[in-house]
Amino acid sequence: GRLYVNKVFNISAEKMFELLFTDSHFIQRFMNARKITNASFAPWQSEASGAMKRSLNYTIAITNPLVGKFSTATENQILYKESREGQYYLVDAEVYTHDVPYHDYFYTQNLYCIIRHSKHKCRLRVYTDVKYKKQPWGLVKSFITKNSWSGLEDYFRHLESELMEEEAVLNQGGGDP
Ligand code: YK8
């Protein structure tokens, strides 16, 4: 896998969770900017295991010339039970893109860790991996992996920069650093 985001933000751990994993204005704006449309979010629900789960469905615009312009996607998120409100959040997000070539071979796993740093700071880490449900031919596999990495890198670079803007807005007008 790859570590796409690894940064301390001037945002509390609770706030970071709220920005990324609830129906926040931030995520709505970010999805608009990424041309992610028709989004439907199921609410978080607790599982017998103690974890929480929810599923999202949306349509993404794709800029990769090898692929059609849009794909529907399903994202299954798990908030692990090891998470502690305000301290530590671990979210596993599996993303299935249904309308791209070879879609039945692979999915993407994004692991988001939000760790409290101090009262108003947290570290966000995002690990990403391209996973295979069945083994494609070697050349196809490297093709899928390469095209996935470039799309993911672009997405998470954008997410990081939008979070830095949000951080600036949230910290405007004083309050302790
Ligand atoms: C989520 C991973 C692969 C896919 C794409 C597929 C190329 C197919 C390769 C062919 C277009 C928001 C990506 C990047 C689309 C966007 C997905 C996003 C960024 C030529 C064989 C959508 C996170 C996420 C996960 C997976 C990404 C797809 O929150 O290259």
Side-chain angles (χ1 to χ4, degrees):
R2 294 190 179 183
L3 184 59
Y4 273 125
V5 182
N6 181 19
K7 197 175 155 37
V8 175
F9 289 91
N10 241 305
I11 298 176
S12 69
E14 277 126 308
K15 185 73 188 174
M16 183 63 83
F17 180 82
E18 183 197 311
L19 292 177
L20 297 176
F21 298 107
T22 67
D23 198 7
S24 64
H25 289 298
F26 172 81
I27 207 73
Q28 287 175 20
R29 256 186 287 117
F30 183 66
M31 287 180 129
N32 274 339
R34 297 300 306 182
K35 300 199 166 63
I36 296 177
T37 53
N38 301 321
S40 75
F41 292 60
W44 285 105
Q45 278 186 318
S46 29
E47 295 277 295
S49 66
M52 307 275 277
K53 281 194 180 176
R54 67 170 191 167
S55 302
L56 318 178
N57 286 293
Y58 44 77
T59 304
I60 45 178
I62 296 175
T63 47
N64 189 323
L66 299 171
V67 186
K69 288 195 179 332
F70 299 95
S71 175
T72 57
T74 302
E75 177 163 346
N76 298 322
Q77 297 180 342
I78 302 175
L79 172 64
Y80 282 108
K81 71 163 190 304
E82 288 72 20
S83 303
R84 289 288 167 271
E85 203 177 352
Q87 300 290 325
Y88 180 72
Y89 301 81
L90 185 57
V91 177
D92 175 346
E94 290 183 349
V95 182
Y96 297 82
T97 42
H98 304 300
D99 310 306
V100 302
Y102 305 105
H103 61 90
D104 48 337
Y105 283 88
F106 75 101
Y107 64 93
T108 305
Q109 183 178 43
N110 300 317
L111 265 176
Y112 296 80
C113 311
I114 302 170
I115 308 153
R116 180 190 152 115
H117 206 267
S118 63
K119 195 166 183 223
H120 301 288
K121 286 186 197 220
C122 72
R123 179 180 292 277
L124 174 67
R125 288 207 179 100
V126 184
Y127 299 91
T128 293
D129 213 352
V130 181
K131 300 276 195 180
Y132 288 87
K133 290 188 277 184
K134 47 185 185 185
Q135 286 303 315
W137 187 43
L139 209 65
V140 170
K141 188 171 177 176
S142 62
F143 183 61
I144 296 172
T145 306
K146 182 174 153 286
N147 281 284
S148 298
W149 286 144
S150 62
L152 286 156
E153 185 178 350
D154 181 60
Y155 180 84
F156 286 115
R157 208 192 287 125
H158 191 185
L159 181 65
E160 184 175 297
S161 85
E162 291 297 315
L163 280 170
M164 287 164 74
E165 295 244 333
E166 186 69 13
E167 173 186 49
V169 171
L170 289 170
N171 292 301
Q172 224 169 55
D176 33 45

